[in-house]
Amino acid sequence: MTRPVPAETAWRWLVEYPAALLVVAEVVILFTGIVARYALHMPITWTDEASSILFLWLSALGSAVAIQRGEHMRMTALVSKCAPRTRLYLDAAASGAALLFLAAVLLPAIRFADKQGAFTTPALEISGTWRAAALPAGVALMFVANALRLARTANHRVVLAALATVAAVALAFWAAQPLFAGLGKMNLLIFFLGVVVVTVFAGVPIAFGFGLATFGYLALTTRIPLATMVGRMDEGMSHLVLLAVPLFIFLGLLIEMTGMARRMVAFLANLIGHKRGGLAYVLIGAMYLVSGISGAKAADMAAVAPALFPEMKKRGAREGDLVALLAATAAQTETIPPSIVLITIGSVTGVSIAALFTGGLLPGALLAIALCAVVWRRYRKEDLAGAAWPGARAVWRSLQAALPALVLPFLIRFAVVDGVATATEVSTIGIVYALLIALLVQRGCDWSRLVPILVETAALSGAILLIIGTATAMAWCLTRSGFSTDLAALMAGLPGGKLGFLAVSIVLFIVLGSVLEGVPAIVLFGPLLFPIAQQVGVNEVHYAMVVILSMGIGLFAPPFGVGYYVASAIGRASPDAGMRPITGYMLALFIGVLVIAAVPWISTGFLR
């Protein structure tokens, strides 16, 4: 067993463990507030404020942990196909681009935090600097983590060449500053199309690609103080509703750790697994149920696939078809509450979270039926020689074991949809519920995994929230430049009225999902397109379902969809193996999205 180097040990104690403690602190503070408000009828005034302060610090430390682990979201479809030396060069250039952004934004972040000292929080009565200091601290830690990753690269000559390239490009842009002054709105194409496309396709993490484009636009084409960008990032990352994101991520990882997800899968497998295509139906149903607990698709797939794939392979299923169906079910369940994308849309557009949670169930069920139709056709001649019904007694026992887990998704939906509690409160209750079930009812949990899961929660949350921050800053620049007005005029003038607008939106979000992933696409274009949808007469919940599912198709469809490669990694299969089998599933999903777009009732029929 290799011993950790001193730098790694120091990093764990200085960054990872504090980030894990922040997740625990958020749960404790929020649950204390819930008990005080609903059980004791003695609301504690400072819990929301304390949670908001710790949340920003969690985002900052989590972003640094994600850098150190290489977990920031990036598109690698092109980079992965390059020769090893070229791939190393592009990876180093991507890290260099991130370093450039972090170095450029550090001083504005310090200035922003210093200015917040003029404000005092209303409940705790502490200086606003204590909260805002999370931003420069996070930027500094991300810079250190990125620099350490580069230093560990074996081929220093390639790294230096990549860094020199990044520096040369930055100097060229700086030298061209006088030229930008006379270009007007052409600068929007240069920075928000050119810079973003080049950085994203070159493998630069999406958050830093957005950050570089926004910083470059403000610094080189406007006289706006650069601290304004940090303020917009702070605004995007600080919505209290987004606090549900790390909590639902933690809940999803927790149900996998405690075995609750495995018991749900076992019950469904005992119930219908002996039928032709039965385990494929189980996979679709299990993803629907597990998605009702966790908001993170990677956690959903990791909870379901290991429990089903070995038995499916024994029955002769090919690994390519398994990965294809796993990716398709992940796209199909994007609207199942408490999806992180649903929560993000509610945060950036102001659409009711309860309405989104209600509207997302039936579209997900319709797409599940579409996938089941493809499964029936493909598995109608499956050999069932090794499959037998385990009997009513085994089904009953597996139902008893799975019942505590089966209750949880219905509890989450009921509480949020009926207005009993907010999404943040429900996620906190779900965490406490899962821990109590693991301690008192379903024992045998591996508690040594708890700290790594807390750290993973912080890392994934930080990566998501940094994207939301930089995308919010970019969206603000686009709105301020008048682009949103021009876009509204263009979209409103499309032929076909509402249907024409929805058709263009479907194509747009499939492309955006494949290039930018879900959250950044929603944060960037949601505030621009949702008002236009209302202008042309499209219900905002209906529009949310259409764009989320379209984005999901792009996200999980090869060759560019990052989600497809995540599914391949979880399924331990070559991405090439699923390229052909996934075509039928994606076609079924696309037809389903067209039906949902054409029939608004599917999304809005159960709204109050």
Side-chain angles (χ1 to χ4, degrees):
M1 182 176 177
T2 58
R3 296 178 61 185
V5 299
E8 292 177 350
T9 303
W11 180 264
R12 289 197 189 102
W13 283 100
L14 292 175
V15 184
E16 289 189 359
Y17 294 156
L21 283 174
L22 285 173
V23 177
V24 174
E26 291 283 19
V27 174
V28 170
I29 291 173
L30 288 168
F31 189 68
T32 301
I34 292 168
V35 172
R37 180 179 296 116
Y38 295 108
L40 304 179
H41 303 291
M42 298 173 58
I44 302 174
T45 58
W46 54 264
T47 53
D48 285 349
E49 191 173 286
S51 298
S52 177
I53 294 171
L54 295 182
F55 178 48
L56 192 59
W57 278 95
L58 171 61
S59 303
L61 295 185
S63 297
V65 175
I67 283 272
Q68 192 267 341
R69 295 178 166 211
E71 294 181 358
H72 273 279
M73 299 174 191
R74 55 193 291 245
M75 198 185 87
T76 58
L78 297 182
V79 174
S80 62
K81 290 178 169 53
C82 296
R85 188 178 179 85
T86 304
R87 187 163 61 246
L88 176 62
Y89 171 82
L90 290 173
D91 286 340
S95 294
L99 284 175
L100 175 64
F101 169 70
L102 293 168
V105 83
L106 179 58
L107 186 57
I110 293 172
R111 289 173 178 165
F112 173 78
D114 182 59
K115 288 181 179 179
Q116 296 305 300
F119 305 98
T120 302
T121 59
L124 295 174
E125 297 184 349
I126 61 175
S127 170
T129 299
W130 286 102
R131 175 189 166 282
L135 294 169
V139 169
L141 288 170
M142 283 188 277
F143 186 92
V144 171
N146 223 340
L148 290 175
R149 278 176 58 83
L150 278 177
R152 288 196 298 267
T153 305
N155 196 328
H156 295 295
R157 183 175 297 177
V158 173
V159 170
L160 290 175
L163 293 178
T165 302
V166 172
V169 172
L171 288 173
F173 268 83
W174 187 264
Q177 185 175 6
L179 297 177
F180 296 136
L183 294 180
K185 289 189 177 181
M186 279 294 295
N187 288 319
L188 297 177
L189 294 177
I190 294 172
F191 288 93
F192 298 128
L193 183 63
V195 172
V196 169
V197 168
V198 170
T199 54
V200 168
F201 277 92
V204 177
I206 293 171
F208 299 110
F210 283 5
L212 279 172
T214 306
F215 188 92
Y217 175 78
L218 290 175
L220 301 178
T221 71
T222 74
R223 296 182 178 179
I224 298 173
L226 296 176
T228 304
M229 176 183 174
V230 182
R232 299 287 76 77
M233 290 175 61
D234 174 47
E235 179 185 328
M237 298 166 68
S238 298
H239 282 287
L240 197 58
V241 68
L242 291 176
L243 183 51
V245 170
L247 298 178
F248 275 122
I249 290 173
F250 181 43
L251 179 57
L253 296 172
L254 200 58
I255 64 164
E256 188 276 328
M257 184 193 84
T258 58
M260 294 174 73
R262 185 179 66 252
R263 292 181 180 93
M264 282 196 292
V265 172
F267 164 64
L268 293 175
N270 285 338
L271 190 66
I272 61 172
H274 59 287
K275 304 289 185 182
R276 281 191 171 86
L279 291 182
Y281 297 132
V282 170
L283 176 59
I284 296 170
M287 282 293 290
Y288 192 96
L289 285 174
V290 173
S291 294
I293 301 173
S294 162
K297 286 292 150 267
D300 298 341
M301 293 188 290
V304 172
L308 282 175
F309 277 18
E311 182 62 29
M312 294 177 80
K313 288 178 180 177
K314 286 181 184 178
R315 296 191 187 184
R318 293 167 295 184
E319 65 175 19
D321 199 45
L322 297 181
V323 167
L325 182 57
L326 182 64
T329 55
Q332 164 243 324
T333 53
E334 283 283 14
T335 62
I336 305 302
S339 164
I340 287 173
V341 180
L342 286 179
I343 296 170
T344 304
I345 279 187
S347 170
V348 301
T349 66
V351 181
S352 164
I353 297 289
L356 290 170
F357 276 26
T358 302
L361 294 172
L362 195 53
L366 176 65
L367 294 190
I369 294 171
L371 291 180
C372 286
V374 179
V375 167
W376 174 82
R377 190 175 187 281
R378 290 187 176 181
Y379 286 85
R380 64 187 186 278
K381 297 180 180 179
E382 182 184 18
D383 182 9
L384 295 177
W389 188 52
R393 186 184 298 272
V395 173
W396 173 246
R397 287 177 178 172
S398 62
L399 173 60
Q400 289 178 310
L403 196 58
L406 291 170
V407 168
L408 195 50
F410 296 100
L411 173 67
I412 290 171
R413 290 163 195 168
F414 168 77
V416 176
V417 170
D418 281 26
V420 176
T422 66
T424 303
E425 291 171 340
V426 169
S427 60
T428 307
I429 294 170
I431 290 169
V432 175
Y433 172 84
L435 290 171
L436 289 175
I437 292 297
L439 285 168
L440 304 177
V441 181
Q442 298 173 340
R443 300 180 183 180
C445 177
D446 183 7
W447 292 102
S448 65
R449 294 179 57 198
L450 185 58
V451 173
I453 280 176
L454 288 167
V455 175
E456 180 63 25
T457 298
L460 183 53
S461 303
I464 292 171
L465 291 163
L466 184 62
I467 285 177
I468 291 175
T470 54
T472 301
M474 184 189 293
W476 178 82
C477 289
L478 289 172
T479 301
R480 184 187 175 279
S481 69
F483 173 77
S484 58
T485 304
D486 297 338
L487 181 64
L490 175 65
M491 297 292 275
L494 290 173
K498 290 193 296 185
L499 291 180
F501 174 74
L502 287 170
V504 171
S505 296
I506 289 171
V507 174
L508 174 65
F509 275 91
I510 288 176
V511 174
L512 290 174
S514 66
V515 176
L516 298 181
E517 300 192 27
V519 171
I522 291 298
V523 176
L524 187 57
F525 285 91
L528 302 178
L529 292 177
F530 271 72
I532 303 172
Q534 289 183 302
Q535 288 177 22
V536 299
V538 179
N539 180 277
E540 57 189 6
V541 175
H542 176 215
Y543 189 62
M545 299 307 123
V546 171
V547 299
I548 290 173
L549 293 172
S550 302
M551 175 272 302
I553 292 175
L555 177 59
F556 288 95
F560 295 119
V562 175
Y564 173 75
Y565 297 97
V566 174
S568 300
I570 290 172
R572 297 182 180 179
S574 167
D576 295 334
M579 293 286 187
R580 291 188 66 183
I582 202 172
T583 305
Y585 293 125
M586 286 299 166
L587 179 60
L589 292 180
F590 182 71
I591 294 171
V593 170
L594 294 180
V595 172
I596 292 166
V599 185
W601 183 89
I602 297 171
S603 304
T604 62
F606 293 99
L607 298 181
R608 294 178 180 176

